Amino acid sequence: MSFDHQRIEEKWRNYWLDNKTFKSDSDTNKDKYYVLDMFPYPSGAGLHVGHPEGYTATDIIARMKRMQGYEVLHPMGWDAFGLPAEQYALDTGNDPEEFTRQNIETFRRQIQELGFSYDWDREINTTDPNYYKWTQWIFLKLYEKGLAYIDEVPVNWCPALGTVLANEEVIDGKSERGGHPVERRPMKQWMLKITAYADRLLEDLEELDWPESIKDMQRNWIGRSEGAEVHFGIDGLEDTFTVFTTRPDTLFGATYTVMAPEHPLIDKIVSTEQQQKVADYIKDVQAKSDLERTDLAKEKSGVFTGAYAVNPINREKLPIWVADYVLMSYGSGAIMAVPAHDERDYEFAVKFELPIIPVVEGGNTEKEAFTGSGPHINSAFLDGLDTQEAIVKAIDWLEAHGKGERKVTYRLRDWLFSRQRYWGEPIPIIHWEDGTMSAVREEDLPLELPKTNEIKPSGTGESPLANIEDWVSVVDPETGKKGRRETNTMPQWAGSCWYFLRYIDPQNPDALADYERLEKWLPADTYIGGAEHAVLHLLYARFWHKFLYDIGVVPTKEPFQKLYNQGMILGENNEKMSKSKGNVVNPDEIVASHGADTLRLYEMFMGPLDAAVAWSTNGLDGARRFLDRVWRLFVTEDGKMSGKVVADSSDTSLEKAYHETVKKVTENFEALRFNTGISQMMVFINEAYKAKEIPQLFAEGFVKLLSPVAPHLAEEIWESFGHSETLAYQSWPAFDEAKLVEDEVEVAIQVMGKVRAKMMVSKDASKDELEKQALELESIQDWLEGKTVRKVIAVPGKLVNIVAN
RNA sequence: GCGGGUGUGGCGGAAUUGGCAGACGCGCUAGAUUUAGGAUCUAGUGUCUUCGACGUGGGGGUUCAAGUCCCUCCACCCGCACCA
């Protein structure tokens, strides 16, 4: 008989909600455990089967930790600002707030139907003014400390979306959302000075328990690079310009210099003869999109300016070129070119027939650039030194002569923080008619987003808020000075940078969270979400957290101690699930047909949590079959404890299997290896079916082990065993190491590394005994006939290997 | 191109420090049971030329012993991509 999942799941879902079973208490003296999910964007499409994968993983940890006696914080909320709601509103004329509210209702219902043990009293929503009040407050603090500033920067303007996108939201020259073309356009934008934290963001990665791949991605993203700035004079002019190089040791090999097309000095230095050519080239480059500029990378282009730089180390005159392989946004926007020892410079020098002077011995610069290290040549006082020594000596020389200095640069750029959108947190700044600017006073927060049914882009690049005159115009009540509110809003990342703090104290009207409570709960012990947030969300959140740490708001340097990335669930055809491919699995349907417990079990059993695995309907059926087997084993047709389960059983046949199961399940769950933990539970059930009777202690222990994965079913079985209290806080089973070892163990006997026989021996049998017994075996003697035993390796408890020929 | 990762039966995947490859599940085969079943139970299931041999992407090596360590090549996935 199979269990009635619809009845059981509804019963326990309501029980947990009505009794607030999973409410966490910040004032206990239990040890804390904070298990965090990446909160979802509540899209109109509803929950995807990918969501429950990570949520089940964290739920298993949360439920296990509760049973192990921890006070567990396990919250859920909504990352509800964002473009889709705004786009929907534009398309349909509906209110994004209403649309978002409905989506949240759907998500909450779906998540609750899956039986996750969230404390719903801590639910947060980034679009709630009581929440974004604090998002705005953090912005004001950043502004106060000079970390938020306005800059005129070339931005990724997307005409179709009517907004500016961050670099990372542009993929292959198109918008990440919608795939619309993106162009460069200079605009005044709010920037956050994340680069001020570059070193700390890099260094503190060391102490985090994160996947190495994610740490690496963050390291690459930050892109720290040590070298020197070198100041070059310009022949015939007073001006100088600066280049950044990681190889100051090759300064004697510089044969030309290059400025990025946007370099401000070009206009000034260009010679009359070259003026037209340079202007044409720059115009050409500007017409190219970023995509074209990088795509055409294979063929170098550039033009001579007619001007010459003076190499500070030897007074050599070097032609100054303009080329788009030099980027204005990195270093100082100009380089010294050492074609003998840099592949890009080499390629350029070959194409434009510029001299190539080797200064490091080792390669063949007739054929290619040599980027390795070796003794220096043609380099005056650096001759004979190896690369490392020469770098140090070159920098020392530059510093001593005022021609340059040691310098660290980063690939990381400041964070473009404004968006020309309606559905985001308003930036709490007022621009006054006299050209000054001031922050909205803290006591006036939250600065609420005005209601409107006019959310079309203004088209000028301003957000739709610019159209709402009542809201935009302000008058200083004291001076009568007129002003205009900032019309840009914050990007979606803003709310998700600190949401895990608000869960800790979600109703606090006076602070984003109480400091003592933050001390109790931080950092998040386990944080699980998709790998797509490897750099953006995780880097931005770390940045804000470090800032909040610096101003004394949070007690820890890092927000997320242990991070894990769940993999993707693919469609049955092994492709990414998508509406267009028609391979989307809807969790609601699975919950109806197989039940939430089955879905949870199946998603955890599919494979390792971090792997991308294809959905399988057969596999899902198998998961359900296992739960049915468990149910039938323990519960009778009329819902009572099965007669096979015996309270005072003296049957010890299941002892070893039970203790092994407790051990493996506990360890595997702890390490997020749910697939192997579940397989061990299956082994136990297979054994239990073979046993004559099952001691009730083992049956109850098993139900506890199963409960984090299949909580509804486990509660029901627990109740049928005669318990009236929820299983959620019962103590987690312990195992006895002594019960794991048997007196007799089977060892394999190998001849020349191949298993030829097996025998049962006492677990304490010594090497000598093993060897002796193995050699006496008849079947082994057959194998040894005509051979001489050269050596015998005996590993107690494992095997004996006889080397003979 | 650079960085990271993965490669094991028909399929998803297991295998502490190198120590019996293929746990567990799916699928498949046979039997039992059933009015019947896509239900349940039992047994079997890596390949082959089956008292044996061969098997963890290919090739080589270290070792008594290699999925695991070393070298090399191949394929696929993810991230970055003229970062000086």
Side-chain angles (χ1 to χ4, degrees):
Chain A
M1 196 198 72
S2 109
F3 65 95
D4 180 353
H5 62 266
Q6 296 198 347
R7 183 187 64 80
I8 290 173
E9 290 180 357
E10 187 184 1
K11 169 180 164 185
W12 290 103
R13 174 166 75 245
N14 290 334
Y15 175 92
W16 296 323
L17 290 171
D18 293 347
N19 290 284
K20 293 191 188 292
T21 303
F22 305 113
K23 190 170 175 56
S24 20
D25 181 356
S26 293
D27 302 316
T28 60
N29 48 16
K30 290 187 197 174
D31 285 342
K32 67 95 181 180
Y33 201 93
Y34 187 177
V35 204
L36 181 67
D37 287 293
M38 288 187 186
F39 66 162
Y41 172 76
S43 73
L47 212 66
H48 179 270
V49 285
H51 286 112
E53 193 184 15
Y55 299 164
T56 303
T58 52
D59 201 53
I60 291 170
I61 298 299
R63 287 177 180 269
M64 178 171 73
K65 290 288 170 188
R66 269 186 215 105
M67 294 170 81
Q68 289 174 338
Y70 290 87
E71 186 66 33
V72 168
L73 178 60
H74 187 42
M76 181 43 75
W78 318 107
D79 187 14
F81 275 128
L83 193 55
E86 181 153 347
Q87 207 57 41
Y88 168 85
L90 274 173
D91 295 345
T92 64
N94 287 310
D95 181 4
E97 188 179 345
E98 177 55 25
F99 175 70
T100 301
R101 200 186 56 72
Q102 286 170 7
N103 290 348
I104 289 174
E105 294 297 322
T106 304
F107 263 70
R108 191 191 301 105
R109 174 188 62 75
Q110 290 184 304
I111 286 176
Q112 288 181 345
E113 284 180 4
L114 286 163
F116 297 126
S117 61
Y118 296 120
D119 176 356
W120 288 103
D121 288 350
R122 294 173 186 266
E123 177 180 347
I124 55 140
N125 173 348
T126 55
T127 67
D128 178 349
N130 290 321
Y131 178 89
Y132 69 68
K133 169 180 178 180
W134 297 104
T135 312
Q136 291 173 329
W137 182 85
I138 296 170
F139 178 87
L140 289 185
K141 293 292 150 190
L142 286 160
Y143 177 68
E144 259 172 42
K145 302 287 176 190
L147 292 166
Y149 63 96
I150 291 182
D151 196 11
E152 172 107 6
V153 284
V155 297
N156 304 301
W157 170 250
C158 178
L161 298 174
T163 189
V164 164
L165 303 169
N167 284 325
E168 43 279 19
E169 291 170 303
V170 182
I171 293 171
D172 293 338
K174 301 220 155 115
S175 64
E176 187 182 13
R177 283 186 190 277
H180 305 292
V182 172
E183 58 191 51
R184 303 290 285 176
R185 192 201 261 201
M187 269 189 187
K188 277 200 170 137
Q189 297 289 323
W190 281 98
M191 306 292 289
L192 295 188
K193 206 177 272 178
I194 190 172
T195 50
Y197 283 76
D199 266 326
R200 287 165 62 192
L201 288 168
L202 192 64
E203 283 163 20
D204 292 346
L205 282 172
E206 298 304 322
E207 59 202 58
L208 297 177
D209 182 10
W210 287 21
E212 203 49 41
S213 61
I214 301 290
K215 288 194 195 181
D216 252 341
M217 280 165 72
Q218 293 219 344
R219 287 187 193 110
N220 292 339
W221 193 263
I222 294 166
R224 181 188 153 98
S225 156
E226 285 182 28
E229 283 193 328
V230 184
H231 310 302
F232 280 71
I234 296 169
D235 189 38
L237 288 169
E238 289 300 303
D239 297 83
T240 61
F241 68 100
T242 299
V243 307
F244 174 73
T245 177
T246 55
R247 296 291 304 273
D249 59 307
T250 60
L251 208 38
F252 286 98
T255 55
Y256 64 103
T257 66
V258 188
M259 290 178 175
E262 298 84 359
H263 199 285
L265 228 50
I266 292 174
D267 279 348
K268 189 161 180 186
I269 62 167
V270 67
S271 71
T272 341
E273 309 85 80
Q274 291 297 101
Q275 206 155 24
Q276 194 54 48
K277 277 189 187 163
V278 170
D280 288 348
Y281 180 71
I282 291 173
K283 209 173 145 197
D284 244 28
V285 169
Q286 278 169 344
K288 289 185 201 170
S289 68
D290 263 18
L291 177 65
E292 289 168 311
R293 242 175 110 163
T294 44
D295 231 33
L296 293 173
K298 288 177 184 91
E299 189 66 358
K300 293 268 183 297
S301 69
V303 59
F304 178 46
T305 60
Y308 288 85
V310 180
N311 188 340
I313 212 155
N314 58 7
R315 316 302 300 164
E316 289 272 334
K317 285 187 193 167
L318 306 176
I320 303 174
W321 286 64
V322 178
D324 67 355
Y325 82 94
V326 173
L327 308 175
M328 195 59 219
S329 52
Y330 185 78
S332 52
I335 62 155
M336 63 175 212
V338 186
H341 305 292
D342 181 283
E343 283 161 23
R344 296 150 301 179
D345 298 343
Y346 188 88
E347 202 185 314
F348 191 82
V350 168
K351 174 159 180 185
F352 293 102
E353 296 175 344
L354 292 156
I356 298 167
I357 303 173
V359 290
V360 181
E361 237 169 27
N364 175 8
T365 55
E366 298 288 308
K367 279 169 63 187
E368 60 185 5
F370 173 63
T371 55
S373 56
H376 281 62
I377 51 169
N378 303 328
S379 294
F381 63 93
L382 300 177
D383 280 351
L385 299 178
D386 74 23
T387 303
Q388 272 317 307
E389 295 167 331
I391 288 175
V392 172
K393 196 158 179 188
I395 296 175
D396 287 348
W397 187 94
L398 288 167
E399 288 186 336
H401 292 79
K403 297 295 186 188
E405 50 280 323
R406 193 164 267 101
K407 170 84 177 174
V408 175
T409 54
Y410 301 90
R411 202 189 78 104
L412 181 71
R413 326 246 181 96
D414 278 344
W415 176 9
L416 176 62
F417 195 68
S418 32
R419 295 293 183 277
Q420 292 64 51
R421 289 180 197 161
Y422 167 77
W423 193 233
E425 300 89 344
I427 292 176
I429 293 287
I430 300 167
H431 303 273
W432 300 103
E433 56 187 345
D434 59 9
T436 61
M437 165 168 79
S438 68
V440 171
R441 293 179 309 172
E442 262 181 52
E443 54 269 36
D444 292 338
L445 294 181
L447 171 58
E448 291 200 36
L449 198 55
K451 278 265 180 198
T452 179
N453 40 29
E454 243 338 290
I455 60 169
K456 288 193 178 57
S458 64
T460 60
E462 277 195 291
S463 92
L465 289 174
N467 301 329
I468 307 171
E469 194 50 39
D470 285 356
W471 184 84
V472 166
S473 302
V474 284
V475 177
D476 187 321
E478 279 158 37
T479 63
K481 189 164 62 169
K482 285 183 188 154
R484 216 167 165 273
R485 290 191 189 281
E486 171 66 53
T487 59
N488 284 327
T489 54
M490 300 187 197
Q492 201 184 348
W493 310 109
S496 60
C497 270
W498 71 281
Y499 71 107
F500 50 92
L501 301 175
R502 191 62 176 174
Y503 285 139
I504 289 170
D505 196 6
Q507 310 299 336
N508 196 323
D510 307 315
L512 64 82
D514 174 71
Y515 192 80
E516 279 178 27
R517 292 193 169 195
L518 291 169
E519 270 186 318
K520 158 131 190 153
W521 290 108
L522 285 176
D525 297 280
T526 298
Y527 189 27
I528 296 182
E532 66 272 22
H533 295 113
V535 273
L536 308 181
H537 160 62
L538 289 171
L539 197 65
Y540 293 155
R542 291 180 62 221
F543 162 44
W544 277 33
H545 199 83
K546 287 186 182 302
F547 169 70
L548 293 173
Y549 174 76
D550 287 349
I551 62 171
V553 173
V554 299
T556 62
K557 286 200 282 187
E558 287 285 337
F560 318 121
Q561 187 51 42
K562 176 172 177 172
L563 174 81
Y564 202 82
N565 293 117
Q566 89 226 26
M568 216 185 331
I569 294 183
L570 305 170
E572 248 174 320
N573 55 357
N574 241 301
E575 290 180 76
K576 211 167 167 169
M577 284 191 192
S578 75
K579 264 187 230 154
S580 59
K581 288 185 187 123
N583 61 352
V584 176
V585 178
N586 178 347
D588 281 347
E589 287 170 19
I590 306 298
V591 168
S593 62
H594 292 70
D597 285 338
T598 301
L599 179 61
R600 294 167 60 118
L601 176 76
Y602 173 60
E603 293 207 5
M604 292 300 97
F605 185 62
M606 288 174 90
L609 184 60
D610 60 355
V613 185
W615 183 265
S616 154
T617 304
N618 280 332
L620 180 73
D621 290 340
R624 170 63 195 227
R625 206 142 48 216
F626 171 66
L627 294 180
D628 278 334
R629 264 165 77 75
V630 172
W631 175 255
R632 279 198 312 270
L633 182 62
F634 292 139
V635 183
T636 61
E637 300 255 347
D638 53 352
K640 297 282 188 306
M641 184 167 82
S642 158
K644 200 173 171 180
V645 179
V646 179
D648 297 307
S649 172
S650 54
D651 189 336
T652 56
S653 59
L654 281 174
E655 201 166 59
K656 186 184 177 218
Y658 173 75
H659 285 277
E660 196 163 19
T661 300
V662 173
K663 179 182 160 81
K664 283 196 179 166
V665 169
T666 307
E667 289 174 358
N668 285 328
F669 282 7
E670 202 85 50
L672 308 176
R673 290 194 302 260
F674 303 109
N675 54 332
T676 50
I678 290 165
S679 95
Q680 182 59 39
M681 289 198 273
M682 292 173 169
V683 170
F684 178 78
I685 290 299
N686 290 344
E687 291 294 317
Y689 261 91
K690 289 176 197 155
K692 284 196 190 66
E693 56 183 48
I694 304 166
Q696 187 170 349
L697 195 71
F698 294 173
E700 294 196 344
F702 176 85
V703 172
K704 289 177 184 176
L705 295 177
L706 180 66
S707 70
V709 183
H712 310 88
L713 183 72
E715 289 271 24
E716 188 69 16
I717 297 174
W718 187 249
E719 190 183 60
S720 78
F721 281 6
H723 300 287
S724 52
E725 292 263 294
T726 172
L727 182 51
Y729 292 91
Q730 297 299 316
S731 67
W732 189 254
F735 63 92
D736 182 352
E737 197 81 48
K739 298 282 168 40
L740 296 177
V741 280
E742 295 193 84
D743 296 341
E744 289 257 295
V745 290
E746 190 186 56
V747 295
I749 318 298
Q750 299 179 333
V751 178
M752 296 302 287
K754 295 209 162 65
V755 180
R756 299 302 184 189
K758 292 181 181 180
M759 63 180 184
M760 295 303 292
V761 293
S762 154
K763 71 168 166 31
D764 304 314
S766 71
K767 278 190 181 189
D768 290 345
E769 280 173 72
L770 277 173
E771 182 175 337
K772 184 163 162 282
Q773 287 190 42
L775 287 168
E776 280 167 3
L777 283 177
E778 246 178 75
S779 58
I780 290 301
Q781 289 186 349
D782 290 348
W783 281 101
L784 295 178
E785 214 176 283
K787 291 177 179 163
T788 314
V789 175
R790 306 283 175 191
K791 192 175 176 186
V792 179
I793 292 102
V795 183
K798 287 254 164 70
L799 55 67
V800 179
N801 189 9
I802 301 162
V803 186
N805 55 16

